[in-house]
Amino acid sequence: MKRFILLVIVVFLGYFSIPLWKEPVQLVPSSTWSSIYQTVDQVKEELDINFILDTLTLRLNSLFETSNNLQFESNDTTIPSPKLLIPAEQLFSIHNIELGNSRVEVEKIIGDSPNRSTINEYGINWNTYHENYQNFIMVAYDEEDIVRGLYTNQDLIASSTDIRLDSPIQLVHEQLGNPEAFIPYRLFTYRINSNDEYDIFHLDNSFVTIFYDQHENNTVTAIKVIDEDLEQNKNAIYSEPSQQLQEGFEFQLFDLTNATRRNYDLPLLTWDDHVKETARRHSLDMAENRYFSHTNLRGQSPFERMAEDNIEFTTAGENLAYGQISSIFAHEGLMNSLGHRENILQENFRNLGVGVAFNNESQPYFTKKYFSKSRPL
C-alpha cells in the first residue's frame, strides 16, 4: 500500500515536472524535493519506476532524520592566500610557480612537502600541495625534479595578461586570441572538441588549458599548464591502463572535489575505502559490458548496490563520467553538468569513494559515490 501511494505521488509530480526531465541532472536524493525528478546527465535511458520509488522512499525517510544526527566538520580555519607576483619567464604562474622551476624552489615557496603524489596520464606524478585544501595546487615534476605541469582551481593564478580566476571568457579570447583546434602528437593529431567548457592555447613552449564554469557566466574556474614536450610525446590520447593510473585518477578526483568544496566553504569529504570498492565494481561493469548508466544490467540502482555492500547511509549520491582523458577533465566536466555539480556541492554529504576502470580502448570510466550516515548523539 505504501509503495502504491508513493507511485501515485510520483505520477502526480512527474506530470507537472516534465520540463525537468529534459535537463541532465543528478539521480540522487538532495536537499530539495526537485531531486526526486532529476535524471542522469548524458544518459538517455527510460525511467525505471522501481528506482524512482526507491529514491522517493529514501528521500522521505531522510526528511524525518534530525539535523543533530550528522556531525558537521568545520572549515573555519582561514589560511592567508599568497601574494601573487607577475611571472618572470612564462605567461602564467600558479602560486608563484612556473614551468622550469625546481622542486627545491617550489617547496621553498610553498613551505612543505606534497600532501599526495599519484601518477597521471603523462606517466609522471601529480604532487598535490594544500593546507586543508586551501591554496590547492598540483605540480608535476620530471625525473630531474623540474616542473613540467601545473594545475589549480583556486585563486592562485597570476599572469602578465589581465586573466585571473573568474575572468570572463571574452577577456581570455581578447588577451590570448583564438584557441587551438588541433594538437599534433608524435603519432597522431588530436582534434579538440571542448563543448565550450575549456580552451587550449599553445604559448611559451607549453599548452595552457583554461577551464570555464558554464554555471557562473563562463568565467575562468581552473587552469592547467603543461610543457609542450611532455604533452606531445604521448603515443595515444588515452594512457595505458595500470593499477597505478587507476589509483591516481581516483585520488586525484577526490582531491579535486574537496578543493572545489573548499572554494564554496562546504564541509570537506572523508575518503571511504568501502564505498570505493562499490564504485570500482560499477565502473568495471560499465567498461566490460559497454554501457553507461546509474542502473546496472541487473536493474540495481546506486542505492541498491550500496545496500548490497552493507554500506549504511541516510542520503547518498552518485556521479558518473566516461571517456575523459584525465581526472582533471572529468572533474571540470562534472562541474559543468548541473546535477553532478549539485552532488559535488551537496552540503550534507560527508564521505566519498571514487572507482575507476578502463575499457579495451583504454578509456576510463569514473564512478563517484557520496554518502552520509546518521551518528549517535
Side-chain angles (χ1 to χ4, degrees):
M1 183 62 182
K2 182 179 178 182
R3 291 181 69 86
F4 175 75
I5 293 172
L6 291 174
L7 177 59
V8 172
I9 294 172
V10 170
V11 172
F12 175 78
L13 294 175
Y15 179 80
F16 292 100
S17 61
I18 288 174
L20 295 177
W21 297 354
K22 298 178 182 178
E23 297 298 323
V25 289
Q26 67 185 15
L27 258 176
V28 296
S30 70
S31 61
T32 65
W33 278 96
S34 63
S35 63
I36 299 171
Y37 317 130
Q38 296 173 332
T39 57
V40 187
D41 177 51
Q42 298 179 334
V43 181
K44 298 178 180 179
E45 61 180 359
E46 295 181 359
L47 291 173
D48 184 330
I49 195 63
N50 288 326
F51 172 73
I52 294 173
L53 290 174
D54 289 339
T55 303
L56 183 54
T57 301
L58 181 62
R59 181 58 188 146
L60 288 172
N61 290 338
S62 68
L63 289 175
F64 292 98
E65 295 287 338
T66 63
S67 59
N68 291 331
N69 282 341
L70 288 175
Q71 296 177 357
F72 289 85
E73 298 176 9
S74 174
N75 295 337
D76 290 338
T77 303
T78 300
I79 300 165
S81 298
K83 180 180 179 181
L84 300 178
L85 307 174
I86 300 299
E89 303 293 336
Q90 302 284 316
L91 195 60
F92 289 95
S93 66
I94 299 176
H95 205 309
N96 296 323
I97 298 164
E98 302 177 50
L99 298 188
N101 287 161
S102 69
R103 182 190 286 263
V104 171
E105 292 173 314
V106 169
E107 297 187 355
K108 182 178 180 180
I109 292 170
I110 294 177
D112 207 349
S113 56
N115 300 77
R116 196 192 312 274
S117 183
T118 53
I119 197 166
N120 61 27
E121 66 274 19
Y122 299 103
I124 59 179
N125 282 12
W126 278 125
N127 297 270
T128 59
Y129 298 87
H130 58 84
E131 301 158 275
N132 202 27
Y133 288 99
Q134 189 170 335
N135 296 331
F136 178 84
I137 179 175
M138 297 167 68
V139 183
Y141 304 103
D142 64 15
E143 64 278 2
E144 297 178 354
D145 277 342
I146 301 300
V147 176
R148 298 302 179 196
L150 294 164
Y151 168 90
T152 191
N153 60 359
Q154 296 187 350
D155 191 13
L156 299 171
I157 303 168
S159 175
S160 55
T161 71
D162 295 326
I163 299 169
R164 301 292 186 270
L165 193 75
D166 297 327
S167 294
I169 187 173
Q170 295 86 353
L171 177 64
V172 174
H173 290 167
E174 288 172 8
Q175 298 279 312
L176 301 182
N178 294 325
E180 300 297 313
F182 300 89
I183 298 181
Y185 291 93
R186 288 193 303 173
L187 303 177
F188 65 99
T189 297
Y190 174 66
R191 180 181 179 87
I192 299 168
N193 183 17
S194 68
N195 296 319
D196 298 323
E197 294 184 4
Y198 59 88
D199 287 321
I200 299 178
F201 300 92
H202 194 184
L203 308 165
D204 292 335
N205 300 316
S206 66
F207 285 96
V208 178
T209 304
I210 298 181
F211 297 92
Y212 306 110
D213 190 329
Q214 295 181 326
H215 299 286
E216 295 288 345
N217 300 314
N218 290 308
T219 51
V220 174
T221 190
I223 185 171
K224 184 181 78 161
V225 184
I226 296 292
D227 177 86
E228 66 177 354
D229 289 337
L230 183 64
E231 182 69 59
Q232 293 180 316
N233 280 340
K234 292 176 68 177
N235 292 322
I237 193 62
Y238 293 107
S239 303
E240 186 68 23
S242 67
Q243 181 179 347
Q244 291 75 22
L245 186 61
Q246 177 189 39
E247 293 175 350
F249 280 174
E250 290 169 349
F251 282 118
Q252 289 156 24
L253 195 49
F254 172 80
D255 287 337
L256 290 163
T257 301
N258 264 343
T260 298
R261 290 175 69 90
R262 194 67 162 96
N263 291 340
Y264 288 84
D265 293 323
L266 294 170
L268 299 177
L269 302 174
T270 299
W271 177 264
D272 190 279
D273 271 321
H274 191 178
V275 84
K276 174 205 72 176
E277 294 300 328
T278 305
R280 271 190 181 180
R281 281 192 291 274
H282 189 58
S283 288
L284 183 61
D285 189 35
M286 290 189 294
E288 290 182 340
N289 292 291
R290 295 183 174 274
Y291 74 95
F292 183 66
S293 174
H294 291 275
T295 303
N296 66 17
L297 299 181
R298 293 192 291 156
Q300 291 179 311
S301 72
F303 315 122
E304 290 170 327
R305 287 185 272 109
M306 292 174 69
E308 184 177 61
D309 288 345
N310 298 314
I311 297 169
E312 297 180 1
F313 59 94
T314 57
T315 185
E318 181 175 88
N319 281 356
L320 302 180
Y322 157 66
Q324 288 86 350
I325 60 177
S326 72
S327 51
I328 289 175
F329 281 94
H331 174 73
E332 299 298 340
L334 289 169
M335 279 296 290
N336 276 325
S337 169
L338 185 58
H340 295 109
R341 180 191 185 93
E342 290 178 355
N343 273 349
I344 293 169
L345 303 181
Q346 169 58 258
E347 182 177 1
N348 294 327
F349 290 148
R350 291 295 178 273
N351 305 93
L352 173 63
V354 182
V356 172
F358 303 88
N359 66 14
N360 291 334
E361 288 76 43
S362 301
Q363 297 170 322
Y365 285 73
F366 301 84
T367 300
K368 299 174 68 179
K369 298 193 74 68
Y370 311 80
F371 70 98
S372 296
K373 55 186 175 181
S374 60
R375 298 173 183 175
L377 296 178

